[in-house]
Amino acid sequence: MAPLTTVILGSLLVYLTHAEKHGVQVIGHLKKGLNPPSASDLAFGSPHLMAAIKTGIVIGIIGLAEGIAVGRTFAMFKNYHIDGNKEMIAFGMMNIAGSCTSCYLTAGTGQALFYLPFDPLRMLLIVQNTRHFMEIFQLLAVTAGPFSRTAVNFNAGSRSAVSNIVMATAVMFTLLFLTPLFHYTPLVVLSSIIIAAMLGLLDYEAAIHLWKIDKFDFFICLGAYLGVVLGSVEIGLIISITVSLLRIILFVARPRTMVLGNIPNSGIYRSMDQYQIANSVPGILILQIDAPVFFANASYLRERISRWIYEEEDRLKSAEEASLHYVILDLSAVGSIDTSGISMLEELMKNVHRKGLQLVLANPQSEVMKKLDKSKLIDKIGQGWIFLTVGEAVSACNFMLHTCKSIHVAVDQNAEENKV
């Protein structure tokens, strides 16, 4: 009742005091009647057709992203599921039908539109999609897009899709008979109602939680918030989506690589940075790649793995420990690989062989194995150097190390006996 009361009292106050003559902006004259059909105005021979198509694509993408974002926000409140495919179909059908009746772009989610209250305020907010009300809502202090409308609907307490039918009937009745009643409604009243509805959606605890968990996510949230408050919903979405894409690109282009060590008294191998009790295996360097390998990160991975090898060799020399003989790559987290990744592995194998080391692969996925087989890289590495688990690879390398050591010892003994 608060929005309805505000609209009535605001309109009466302006009417009685003639505040519109003292600088208070009001809705003013509203044209009666429903929007005329506009399907006959569609012209495929227009010289501006290509510009309209390009603009429509951009608006469609932004509207879809905005609508789904709004739907997911309110889905969390009501614990229901958002189907992106159905949302796209709903957006398309609404805008096709609306464009045939002189309506403005619709960008609200299908599920969010279930929360449509039955009051004159909602009539005004819905009718903003028509060309009669466009100039009104361009003056609002906040963006009166689907987010603000859905926020008002949500706070009004509607629960089912039946409100759509009631709302449509009420809007039609208002356009036909009640538009003169809104002549003195001040714009500031509409703005205040929208702002009040939006304030209830601010979740400060969630922002603090993001700061504690992941500061990058917090700055994405902050950028989206400032973009919406200082600009528009579209600007907020562009900021958040751009920063999120940059983060994804950075994560993919700089995947994690880690050195694995053996957990004492077990056959388990884990990151030595995470598990301080993990021990390195003498003569063996075990590395794990934690992302798909493709053109965007192939060069980085080649340089990073080579750096790990150099650092391990320097460490062994300074500690006067056994020299490095085997490099095991754990590919269990590598879900896919492209030709650039295969070339990287081939170059890495050649570099390892130049140092007198052996490259070993552990647990490659099926898709990776297929591409390695088609590229003949398995034959170059040697099928005997590809294992199901890191433990099996380490056992095989240790066996070869002990075998070679025994052979060298036997050869040295024979040489000494020959001298004697």
Side-chain angles (χ1 to χ4, degrees):
M1 290 297 294
L4 178 59
T5 304
T6 305
V7 171
I8 295 175
L9 292 180
S11 301
L12 288 176
L13 184 62
V14 171
Y15 175 75
L16 295 175
T17 61
H18 301 286
E20 75 279 6
K21 298 179 180 179
H22 301 281
V24 177
Q25 293 183 332
V26 296
I27 290 179
H29 174 70
L30 297 178
K31 185 179 179 181
K32 281 187 177 182
L34 301 177
N35 287 349
S38 56
S40 59
D41 297 333
L42 184 62
F44 291 102
S46 172
H48 305 292
L49 180 62
M50 291 307 301
I53 292 176
K54 294 177 182 178
T55 305
I57 292 175
V58 174
I59 293 175
I61 294 174
I62 294 176
L64 177 63
E66 180 182 354
I68 292 180
V70 174
R72 287 177 176 173
T73 299
F74 289 92
M76 292 188 295
F77 290 121
K78 289 299 179 180
N79 194 27
Y80 58 77
H81 175 68
I82 292 292
D83 189 331
N85 293 329
K86 292 181 179 179
E87 293 295 313
M88 293 178 67
I89 295 173
F91 292 155
M93 295 303 295
M94 285 190 297
N95 285 297
I96 290 174
S99 64
C100 294
T101 55
S102 303
C103 288
Y104 188 60
L105 171 69
T106 301
T109 61
Q111 285 86 344
L113 287 177
F114 288 169
Y115 300 92
L116 299 176
F118 173 47
D119 57 45
L121 172 64
R122 178 57 194 171
M123 301 175 192
L124 287 177
L125 295 177
I126 289 296
V127 178
Q128 71 169 297
N129 285 336
T130 69
R131 58 188 178 186
H132 299 311
F133 284 75
M134 279 305 299
E135 294 181 357
I136 298 172
F137 280 83
Q138 289 175 353
L139 301 175
L140 293 180
V142 294
T143 302
F147 199 11
S148 57
R149 295 197 304 270
T150 307
V152 174
N153 300 336
F154 181 81
N155 290 336
S158 291
R159 291 293 179 268
S160 70
V162 177
S163 58
N164 285 330
I165 302 174
V166 178
M167 176 272 301
T169 305
V171 168
M172 181 178 67
F173 183 80
T174 301
L175 289 174
L176 292 175
F177 306 106
L178 302 181
T179 52
L181 298 178
F182 299 104
H183 183 279
Y184 293 100
T185 302
L187 298 183
V188 67
V189 169
L190 303 182
S191 300
S192 62
I193 293 173
I194 293 174
I195 292 174
M198 295 292 291
L199 289 177
L201 298 177
L202 296 179
D203 192 347
Y204 300 101
E205 294 181 356
I208 296 174
H209 180 71
L210 287 177
W211 174 261
K212 294 179 179 179
I213 301 292
D214 192 329
K215 291 180 173 54
F216 203 103
D217 284 343
F218 171 80
F219 285 114
I220 293 176
C221 174
L222 182 62
Y225 172 76
L226 294 177
V228 172
V229 172
L230 302 179
S232 64
V233 174
E234 289 76 13
I235 294 177
L237 281 173
I238 291 173
I239 292 175
S240 59
I241 292 173
T242 301
V243 177
S244 299
L245 289 177
L246 290 176
R247 183 183 188 181
I248 293 173
I249 293 172
L250 181 62
F251 177 78
V252 172
R254 295 291 186 270
R256 290 195 308 165
T257 56
M258 62 193 75
V259 178
L260 303 184
N262 177 246
I263 303 297
N265 302 320
S266 71
I268 300 174
Y269 294 84
R270 293 292 183 268
S271 171
M272 296 184 65
D273 291 333
Q274 182 178 0
Y275 296 89
Q276 302 298 325
I277 62 174
N279 300 319
S280 60
V281 182
I284 303 174
L285 175 62
I286 308 171
L287 300 175
Q288 184 182 54
I289 301 175
D290 200 17
V293 182
F294 62 111
F295 71 94
N297 57 24
S299 298
Y300 170 79
L301 287 174
R302 180 177 60 251
E303 296 173 0
R304 190 72 187 95
I305 293 173
S306 299
R307 193 180 308 122
W308 279 119
I309 296 173
Y310 292 142
E311 292 175 356
E312 181 67 11
E313 288 179 332
D314 292 340
R315 186 187 69 82
L316 293 176
K317 287 180 181 179
S318 60
E320 297 182 354
E321 298 181 4
S323 59
L324 185 63
H325 294 279
Y326 297 95
V327 177
I328 300 176
L329 290 184
D330 181 9
L331 304 180
S332 57
V334 180
S336 62
I337 189 171
D338 65 356
T339 53
S340 298
I342 293 174
S343 299
M344 181 275 292
L345 289 179
E346 189 171 0
E347 292 178 15
L348 180 63
M349 179 195 67
K350 293 178 181 179
N351 293 336
V352 167
H353 287 173
R354 291 192 194 100
K355 294 177 174 292
L357 309 177
Q358 176 62 49
L359 181 65
V360 183
L361 303 182
N363 194 23
Q365 302 294 320
S366 59
E367 182 179 348
V368 176
M369 279 295 295
K370 290 177 182 178
K371 293 186 177 180
L372 294 179
D373 182 50
K374 291 179 180 179
S375 64
K376 307 298 181 183
L377 185 58
I378 291 181
D379 297 333
K380 295 178 182 178
I381 296 176
Q383 295 186 2
W385 295 110
I386 299 178
F387 299 91
L388 184 61
T389 64
V390 174
E392 292 180 0
V394 172
S395 299
C397 293
N398 281 329
F399 176 78
M400 294 299 296
L401 283 174
H402 293 309
T403 302
C404 293
K405 186 181 294 185
S406 301
I407 293 175
H408 288 312
V409 171
V411 171
D412 292 339
Q413 289 178 352
N414 290 333
E416 291 179 0
E417 291 176 357
N418 291 335
K419 288 180 181 180
V420 175

